[in-house]
Amino acid sequence: MSSTQDLINKLSAQHNLPDAELLRLLTSAKPETNLLLAAAADKVRRQYYGNKVYIRGLIEFTNYCKNNCFYCGIRAGNSCACRYRLTKEDILACCREGYALGFRTFVLQGGEDPYFTDARICEIIAAIRTLYPDCAITLSIGEKKRASYQAYFDAGANRYLLRHETANAEHYAKLHPASMSLANRKRCLYDLKAIGYQVGSGFMVGSPYQTPENLLADLRFLQALHPDMIGIGPYITHAQTPFAHEASGTAEQTLRLLAMLRLMFPYALLPSTTALATITPQGRKLGLKAGGNVVMPNLSPAGVRKLYSLYENKACTGTEAAQNLALLQAEVQQAGYEIAVDRGDVIKKTKL
Ligand code: SAH
């Protein structure tokens, strides 16, 4: 049987492995596996993106949500959540502050809030597009009809983040109510791609009932989708959800997957996520060293950051705060990288 290093070399060279070998990497109990994977991932990331780290200003503009995902703290059924929504003026104020700080991508993320009709969303996008023609506008507002996605695109949105969450339909059904389906999630992703968005997908690591075979299915689905961005983070338990008593995912497994994603999708934009920074103190830095090349500091008004509570103890101070860019710069440099002040579009995708 080939050694772990042999498998990693093969994955680096071919950006792919047979199922059994990917599963061996996913389940390896050897302590050195993550270190070897991260070293290989860092090499590939430097080949494709040099030492650049791209920053996105994250604006969490509403925590109202009509959905009831079992894992999520802002699910409709959580009557303890203190709800808020930002006005167009609030959002534009976030962009103004972010632009002055050096952000050239704004990510508008929220629950699926019916108050934000397509007309309201388009009005906000158009205003940002007019004021900041040199910036990328990313949306992360869930499942919509194709015509809605088209309208947002026509209004000036460029990118869309929609994690598929899990590519196994049975697992999907364990994480979501019957009103939601993996088929519709996939339909959304393919619609977004067809319209011309730069598309991001991804999944939670260590979500309840997840098996190594599910993770393998996630990797295979991503290979088929060929997204520009892939966001992963550990599942983190939230007490006011049906999964209150389920264990959170681990930093180790998240870092392992991150490095494997870099080797399989060398061109991709891979964030070192807030969830990773939340479960382990050095999470953000470790994520960058394992192949991550994007960070998304929080640009939401300070007063609402804790209310956008998908999971518990969300990190939103220190380097998670957009205002502390100098601190983030220092951390990124210490890890051996540089923050890039440009839109940070995906590089031309190689056909793998
Ligand atoms: N409504 C939008 C945005 C969802 S929040 C949408 O549906 O895409 C962004 C991501 O946070 C989700 O896709 C999910 O993967 C993640 N998330 C939600 N609850 C979480 C939890 N408890 N732990 C970790 N990540 C979580």
Side-chain angles (χ1 to χ4, degrees):
M1 199 190 267
S2 45
S3 73
T4 305
Q5 186 65 67
D6 290 341
L7 287 183
I8 294 172
N9 291 346
K10 194 166 147 195
L11 186 57
S12 301
Q14 301 174 1
H15 314 299
N16 203 3
L17 287 176
D19 285 358
E21 294 184 346
L22 282 176
L23 278 170
R24 263 185 64 204
L25 285 179
L26 286 170
T27 57
S28 161
K30 292 190 191 129
E32 71 273 19
T33 302
N34 272 20
L35 288 175
L36 298 175
L37 272 169
D42 191 57
K43 203 164 148 203
V44 167
R45 105 36 144 320
R46 285 175 192 276
Q47 275 164 15
Y48 282 74
Y49 280 99
N51 64 355
K52 295 278 177 271
V53 171
Y54 299 99
I55 51 170
R56 314 332 190 167
L58 179 63
I59 305 170
E60 300 156 333
F61 69 100
T62 174
N63 72 350
Y64 282 87
C65 191
K66 67 179 170 64
N67 290 333
N68 244 328
C69 306
F70 300 150
Y71 45 84
C72 183
I74 64 167
R75 64 201 304 272
N78 180 7
S79 54
C80 299
C82 178
R83 305 283 171 175
Y84 74 91
R85 49 173 80 92
L86 302 185
T87 63
K88 180 176 134 194
E89 288 67 36
D90 293 333
I91 295 170
L92 291 176
C94 294
C95 295
R96 194 178 318 124
E97 185 180 11
Y99 193 88
L101 287 163
F103 288 91
R104 294 295 176 267
T105 293
F106 302 118
V107 181
L108 300 184
Q109 188 177 90
E112 289 192 23
D113 179 356
Y115 169 85
F116 285 102
T117 56
D118 288 351
R120 286 193 171 114
I121 293 287
C122 287
E123 196 188 318
I124 293 165
I125 297 167
I128 301 175
R129 178 51 59 237
T130 306
L131 288 166
Y132 305 101
D134 55 334
C135 291
I137 302 173
T138 305
L139 298 177
S140 178
I141 54 175
E143 298 175 23
K144 306 280 178 181
K145 296 194 185 79
R146 177 163 178 163
S148 304
Y149 290 144
Q150 185 69 55
Y152 311 152
F153 189 79
D154 295 341
N158 316 94
R159 306 182 186 145
Y160 206 103
L161 305 178
L162 184 77
R163 292 183 176 178
H164 64 277
E165 312 296 3
T166 172
N168 176 287
E170 278 153 46
H171 186 219
Y172 194 93
K174 289 182 182 161
L175 302 181
H176 301 93
S179 55
M180 297 177 75
S181 72
L182 177 61
N184 193 50
R185 202 92 182 156
K186 287 187 180 176
R187 188 271 305 160
C188 290
L189 285 162
Y190 283 104
D191 280 351
L192 289 161
K193 239 184 112 164
I195 290 168
Y197 283 93
Q198 286 179 39
V199 173
S201 196
F203 53 91
M204 287 177 291
V205 178
S207 60
Y209 312 111
Q210 187 178 65
T211 63
E213 288 73 21
N214 292 157
L215 289 169
L216 177 64
D218 289 324
L219 298 176
R220 294 300 183 212
F221 170 68
L222 290 169
Q223 285 180 319
L225 179 69
H226 209 53
D228 304 279
M229 302 164 281
I230 304 172
I232 64 164
Y235 158 72
I236 304 176
T237 306
H238 190 294
Q240 289 145 7
T241 65
F243 287 159
H245 302 292
E246 302 287 344
S248 295
T250 65
E252 287 66 33
Q253 189 68 341
T254 307
L255 290 165
R256 178 169 305 193
L257 261 307
L258 197 53
M260 289 176 68
L261 287 170
R262 172 56 67 206
L263 298 179
M264 296 178 75
F265 304 90
Y267 64 81
L269 292 159
L270 299 179
S272 179
T273 53
T274 304
L276 179 58
T278 297
I279 50 161
T280 189
Q282 296 293 311
R284 171 154 279 176
K285 216 188 286 186
L286 292 170
L288 294 175
K289 285 174 173 274
N293 62 342
V294 173
V295 290
M296 299 168 65
N298 200 312
L299 251 189
S300 313
V304 304
R305 280 179 201 170
K306 277 286 173 197
L307 301 181
Y308 193 79
S309 167
L310 309 176
Y311 46 82
E312 276 158 16
N313 303 315
K314 184 181 83 169
C316 63
T317 54
T319 53
E320 294 297 327
Q323 289 72 14
N324 295 335
L325 210 53
L327 212 62
L328 179 66
Q329 175 79 279
E331 185 179 289
V332 164
Q333 276 177 355
Q334 211 191 358
Y337 310 100
E338 283 293 333
I339 287 181
V341 182
D342 61 50
R343 279 172 44 126
D345 288 299
V346 72
I347 53 174
K348 199 170 162 13
K349 285 195 278 183
T350 36
K351 191 71 209 152
L352 303 173

